[in-house]
Amino acid sequence: MLTFCTLILQVNFFVMPISAGFWSYKKIKGKPAGRFARMTIMSLIMIMLSYTGIVLNETPERRQEIINNLQELGE
């Protein structure tokens, strides 16, 4: 479940800025941008839900492993 939530988070971090850019472009040109607005809002909701899933499914051992990896990276 953790890998699924991570995958959803990564996909939506890719989709959200693209749809927000198209949404802004359409609004600047004065055209309706309903599809891009819905896509941006749904991406934001999915980012929040998947981040919640990552936090809930993460174990203390995995969290400690990530902290150790970051410390090794910093040395």
Side-chain angles (χ1 to χ4, degrees):
M1 190 66 177
L2 181 63
T3 56
F4 179 70
C5 289
T6 305
L7 178 68
I8 295 296
L9 184 74
Q10 291 171 351
V11 166
N12 282 301
F13 258 102
F14 179 75
V15 169
M16 197 264 310
I18 294 171
S19 61
F22 279 117
W23 183 16
S24 299
Y25 177 76
K26 289 282 192 172
K27 292 312 278 183
I28 288 171
K29 295 293 182 182
K31 298 177 183 174
R35 178 176 59 177
F36 298 113
R38 284 190 305 270
M39 195 181 326
T40 303
I41 293 168
M42 289 304 296
S43 292
L44 287 171
I45 291 170
M46 289 304 293
I47 286 171
M48 288 188 289
L49 288 176
S50 60
Y51 184 72
T52 304
I54 289 170
V55 169
L56 291 177
N57 288 314
E58 197 168 75
T59 61
E61 295 84 19
R62 178 160 167 73
R63 193 172 297 138
Q64 187 61 38
E65 179 185 329
I66 292 171
I67 291 171
N68 289 339
N69 287 340
L70 289 173
Q71 287 174 348
E72 287 176 12
L73 203 82
E75 293 175 353

